[in-house]
Amino acid sequence: MEHMNVTSVLRDRQASRRPSLFEGELVRIAFFRSFAMLNPKIMMRNPVMFVTEIGALLTTLTFVMDALGSSPSMAYTLAVTVILWATVLFANFAEALAEARGKAQANTLKRTRSKTVAKKLVDGKPVEVMSDMLKQGDLVVVSAGEFIPTDGEVVEGAASVDESAITGESAPVVREAGGDRSGVTGGTRVLSDSITVRITAAPGDSFLDRMIALVEGAVRQKTPNECALTVTLAGLTLAFLLVTGTLYPMGLYFDVELPIPTLIALLVCLIPTTIGALLAAIGLAGMDRALAANVLAKSGKAVELAGDIDTLLLDKTGTITMGNRHAMSFHPVQGVSEVELAEAAMFASFGDATPEGKSIVELARKVLGASAPHEVPDSKVIPFTAQSRLSGLELPDGTLYRKGASDSICNCVKRMNASLPEGLGKTVDDIASQGSTPIVVIRNERVLGVVALADVLKPGIKERFARLRAMGIRIVMVTGDNPLTASAIAKQAGVDDFIAEARPEDKLAYIRKEQASGHLIAMMGDGTNDAPALAQADIGVAMNSGTQAAKEAGNMVDLDSDPTKLIEVIEIGKQLIMTRGALTTFSIANDVAKYFAIIPAMFMLAIPQLSALNIMGLGTPQSAILSALIFNAIIIPLLIPIAIKGVKYRPMRADSVLRHNLLVYGLGGVLIPFAGIKLIDIVLCGIGLF
């Protein structure tokens, strides 16, 4: 029930972000754009429609010659010419409408992006400058009620931020220095407190700028599948071009002179004009749907590739869990009091700006009360690194406090030739087996005890992972925690496997191994230590709330910072592939019906035996050809909603998808044209045109 509710909310939210399919303004823009796209340089990008346009030009010339010579076939030639131009314009309209939807979203984003006054820190003092004058590395102060001028990272302070202009979510989020929740986006507004932001985006290269460029189609590239289909369609067009070219001399052999408009009509009806007309619209609409889901894809390839993903790597902290682990309890070793451990843990965490470090300090203050120590001036902070996996503080008197992962601390103690206290291993294992993270604390070389940090899973994560598994996707959790903690969290979250005590190079090695086995890997993360893996993965989805390094490394950015967003991304990718496959099936299938309409009509008078192929019982050769052409033209705008909205996605196996497409779109692609062409023929003959 919870899953259904979550999905419903997401769908409603996405729907509210999209403009209506046939909104008046979008239709007006698309209409005029359809004529502008008649430029041969633009049409050449689509071989099928380019051939159709050339055919329309040839029939236009034929009509002019017929008109000058007062030919009796002038009306027929005019009808063919008009229908061919309508076919080309309908195809352009489909692509133009998809582009217009993107530009409508771009205009909305442009209204969000505006020049604002920023308080730049110069020699420690705020100086007002325009936001477009800021450079990478500049520090700015943003207070409550002010807009963040451009993308950056919080380096000091914490504040609640309204990101509704970017994400569509009204609920504010907390952004703070340290950890993986430091990323801020230009155009968002600070609601409380004050933060210092280091600018990470060059002018004109913010996420808003990229989103605008994306939805305007400036950086859209054809996907591998789309390129392959384009080549296939071009091959089919060439084949039918050769076939059509042989019919004229064949007709002369049977004493039948086939008119140029008839041959062109046959060619246009036999080549896959339906899918050729809708191909670009399908690709553009896929990116539109990704953006509606609040996913910024850096290329169209990433969107479609997501549909073929079979392995998903997820960072634990901040992705599967809430990210901010909280210190829950102190576990001193034998001979050490809880007060002594709390004091040492507090000192070790004074230089730790992460939420975990702050929570240790808070818990220690509760235990120590009034006797809690204060920060000592001139102390040296030992920063946390992915390699050392520990941090701490060195006091001016040389006393060294450190905390970190149990194996790192134990190795550190052994290097100092000190002994480990009895029972430490059992305490660490007990904490880890409960799903908490054990943090070992030492003073100089002496181990004092363990701090238990609790991870909190994001709501509904297990149910959504079950959906991914139903799609055939294997889920692997990556964490720096020890195997016991990792195992407990993995079980709670419902993942298929986990990699414990993972360093950045371990993530890379795993991804490369899986890729070498022919798997497509998606990686989701939010931290700087995730950046190499995000860059290596086939699909790298970074959390918008994460660090700038992570966002730069990925080829997608989830603006909602939802780790399960990949479900929607995969569905969009699969929907894109399924839509293209379904409409291709329909396009090729309806060529069968048009074949039975036109071929008998062309030769029926000269070769009466061909009348057996006139299974639709069409009235006259001219009405048969025009009926097929008219149907070929009107089916394109009728399929625009499917091309732009996509076929309904249902989780199913590839063979099931193929059977469904053949049954619905294959059989439908044969039956609908038969009925449609016959109906149009009855109308044409009924009104006495032919």
Side-chain angles (χ1 to χ4, degrees):
M1 183 61 71
E2 181 182 357
H3 153 65
M4 296 280 295
N5 291 336
V6 170
T7 303
S8 176
V9 168
L10 287 169
R11 298 287 183 240
D12 292 344
R13 196 177 69 195
Q14 290 176 28
S16 67
R17 292 181 186 146
R18 293 184 194 163
S20 172
L21 184 59
F22 292 107
E23 186 178 302
E25 183 63 18
L26 298 186
V27 171
R28 186 187 65 82
I29 294 171
F31 176 79
F32 289 107
R33 175 66 178 159
S34 301
F35 289 91
M37 292 170 65
L38 292 175
N39 185 338
K41 290 183 179 179
I42 299 175
M43 296 299 296
M44 285 178 66
R45 297 180 302 185
N46 189 333
V48 178
M49 299 317 301
F50 183 56
V51 169
T52 307
E53 184 181 35
I54 292 174
L57 286 170
L58 290 175
T59 58
T60 303
L61 291 174
T62 304
F63 169 71
V64 173
M65 294 172 63
D66 287 350
L68 293 174
S70 301
S71 172
S73 62
M74 184 173 64
Y76 169 70
T77 305
L78 176 62
V80 171
T81 301
V82 171
I83 296 169
L84 288 177
W85 281 118
T87 302
V88 176
L89 289 171
F90 285 153
N92 289 350
F93 180 81
E95 181 175 355
L97 185 61
E99 288 180 352
R101 283 162 58 85
K103 289 182 178 181
Q105 288 193 330
N107 291 333
T108 301
L109 293 170
K110 285 176 179 178
R111 287 193 292 269
T112 301
R113 183 191 63 183
S114 61
K115 292 183 181 180
T116 58
V117 176
K119 296 177 183 176
K120 178 183 174 182
L121 288 178
V122 180
D123 299 327
K125 297 180 180 179
V127 177
E128 291 190 351
V129 298
M130 298 304 297
S131 59
D132 56 351
M133 297 176 61
L134 295 172
K135 306 184 299 293
Q136 288 178 307
D138 288 344
L139 295 177
V140 296
V141 177
V142 189
S143 303
E146 297 175 347
F147 286 89
I148 295 170
T150 188
D151 300 347
E153 289 184 315
V154 181
V155 294
E156 184 179 335
S160 57
V161 180
D162 176 12
E163 296 186 345
S164 58
I166 306 297
T167 67
E169 293 294 313
S170 58
V173 295
V174 176
R175 296 288 177 258
E176 58 186 344
D180 298 333
R181 290 292 180 269
S182 60
V184 290
T185 306
T188 58
R189 187 163 62 96
V190 174
L191 299 178
S192 66
D193 304 297
S194 178
I195 51 176
T196 302
V197 177
R198 179 185 290 115
I199 303 302
T200 56
D205 195 37
S206 68
F207 273 102
L208 270 179
D209 293 307
R210 295 183 192 180
M211 289 171 71
I212 293 166
L214 175 72
V215 297
E216 288 184 328
V219 297
R220 195 187 92 83
Q221 298 174 314
K222 285 189 176 182
T223 66
N225 284 341
E226 191 176 352
C227 289
L229 184 54
T230 301
V231 171
T232 303
L233 297 181
L236 287 172
T237 302
L238 181 61
F240 283 119
L241 188 62
L242 294 172
V243 169
T244 307
T246 63
L247 289 178
Y248 188 79
M250 187 183 296
L252 293 177
Y253 178 79
F254 291 106
D255 295 324
V256 179
E257 187 174 351
L258 296 171
I260 296 297
T262 298
L263 289 171
I264 293 172
L266 174 66
L267 175 63
V268 170
C269 286
L270 289 185
I271 64 176
T273 48
T274 306
I275 183 61
L278 299 171
L279 192 57
I282 294 170
L284 288 167
M287 298 194 67
D288 176 52
R289 286 194 293 274
L291 191 63
N294 256 5
V295 176
L296 173 60
K298 297 181 182 179
S299 75
K301 292 181 181 180
V303 178
E304 185 169 313
L305 192 61
D308 294 324
I309 290 297
D310 51 22
T311 304
L312 169 60
L313 257 67
L314 284 173
D315 179 48
K316 185 204 74 174
T317 306
T319 307
I320 292 176
T321 65
M322 296 299 285
N324 298 343
R325 294 175 296 179
H326 293 279
M328 304 302 293
S329 56
F330 293 113
H331 301 264
V333 298
Q334 190 174 359
V336 177
S337 67
E338 185 181 13
V339 170
E340 189 178 0
L341 172 59
E343 185 180 86
M346 196 170 181
F347 273 118
S349 304
F350 272 145
D352 187 354
T354 66
E356 290 85 356
K358 293 175 182 177
S359 75
I360 292 175
V361 172
E362 290 174 7
L363 181 63
R365 282 206 175 99
K366 290 179 182 176
V367 172
L368 298 172
S371 62
H374 299 283
E375 293 189 46
V376 180
D378 301 323
S379 296
K380 182 182 177 182
V381 174
I382 303 169
F384 176 88
T385 66
Q387 285 71 36
S388 67
R389 298 171 60 233
L390 57 83
S391 62
L393 193 75
E394 184 178 356
L395 300 183
D397 63 2
T399 306
L400 193 60
Y401 294 95
R402 283 170 287 186
K403 62 176 175 56
S406 60
D407 59 331
S408 299
I409 294 293
C410 290
N411 290 334
C412 182
V413 171
K414 289 175 182 177
R415 285 195 299 269
M416 293 186 289
N417 296 318
S419 59
L420 297 171
E422 238 180 271
L424 176 65
K426 186 177 183 305
T427 302
V428 168
D429 291 347
D430 288 345
I431 293 171
S433 64
Q434 297 168 12
S436 298
T437 302
I439 301 295
V440 181
V441 180
I442 61 174
R443 183 176 60 223
N444 295 323
E445 72 281 354
R446 185 188 178 195
V447 177
L448 300 180
V450 186
V451 183
L453 298 180
D455 283 295
V456 181
L457 293 177
K458 290 191 173 180
I461 196 89
K462 192 169 185 176
E463 291 76 13
R464 304 205 79 189
F465 282 166
R467 275 189 73 195
L468 283 171
R469 197 172 293 106
M471 297 178 189
I473 297 169
R474 186 167 173 265
I475 305 162
V476 181
M477 182 184 76
V478 183
T479 178
D481 291 338
N482 64 70
L484 276 174
T485 302
S487 177
I489 296 294
K491 188 176 180 180
Q492 292 175 29
V495 301
D496 298 299
D497 199 3
F498 63 89
I499 305 172
E501 298 178 342
R503 299 166 298 172
E505 51 265 36
D506 296 328
K507 300 176 188 178
L508 275 176
Y510 183 88
I511 291 172
R512 287 168 178 163
K513 184 186 74 172
E514 290 292 305
Q515 288 173 332
S517 303
H519 296 287
L520 290 176
I521 310 295
M523 167 75 190
M524 299 193 75
D526 59 355
T528 301
N529 64 326
D530 298 321
L534 288 168
Q536 178 66 40
D538 300 287
I539 297 292
V541 185
M543 305 290 119
N544 190 45
S545 61
T547 61
Q548 189 67 22
K551 291 189 283 187
E552 290 293 337
N555 51 15
M556 287 188 183
V557 177
D558 176 19
L559 300 176
D560 293 327
S561 301
D562 179 1
T564 62
K565 181 62 69 64
L566 193 68
I567 293 174
E568 291 167 75
V569 176
I570 289 172
E571 287 183 353
I572 291 166
K574 288 185 180 296
Q575 189 182 42
L576 191 62
I577 297 170
M578 289 169 63
T579 301
R580 193 176 293 130
L583 294 182
T584 300
T585 304
F586 183 90
S587 178
I588 294 173
N590 73 29
D591 289 341
V592 175
K594 289 177 286 187
Y595 172 88
F596 281 100
I598 293 181
I599 294 295
M602 293 172 69
F603 293 100
M604 204 159 42
L605 297 178
I607 310 173
Q609 292 83 352
L610 285 177
S611 59
L613 294 177
N614 188 19
I615 58 179
M616 284 183 272
L618 302 177
T620 67
Q622 292 85 354
S623 72
I625 292 167
L626 287 177
S627 298
L629 265 184
I630 292 171
F631 178 84
N632 192 65
I634 64 175
I635 198 64
I636 294 171
L638 292 177
L639 291 175
I640 288 177
I642 296 177
I644 294 181
K645 290 184 177 180
V647 299
K648 187 176 181 181
Y649 172 73
R650 298 179 181 87
M652 57 176 73
R653 293 165 54 91
D655 56 346
S656 301
V657 173
L658 180 59
R659 281 197 302 270
H660 178 269
N661 280 354
L662 289 174
L663 181 63
V664 177
Y665 294 95
L667 187 59
V670 173
L671 297 179
I672 292 175
F674 268 90
I677 291 171
K678 179 62 178 177
L679 182 62
I680 295 169
D681 180 77
I682 291 172
V683 174
L684 291 179
C685 294
I687 60 179
L689 289 178
F690 300 99

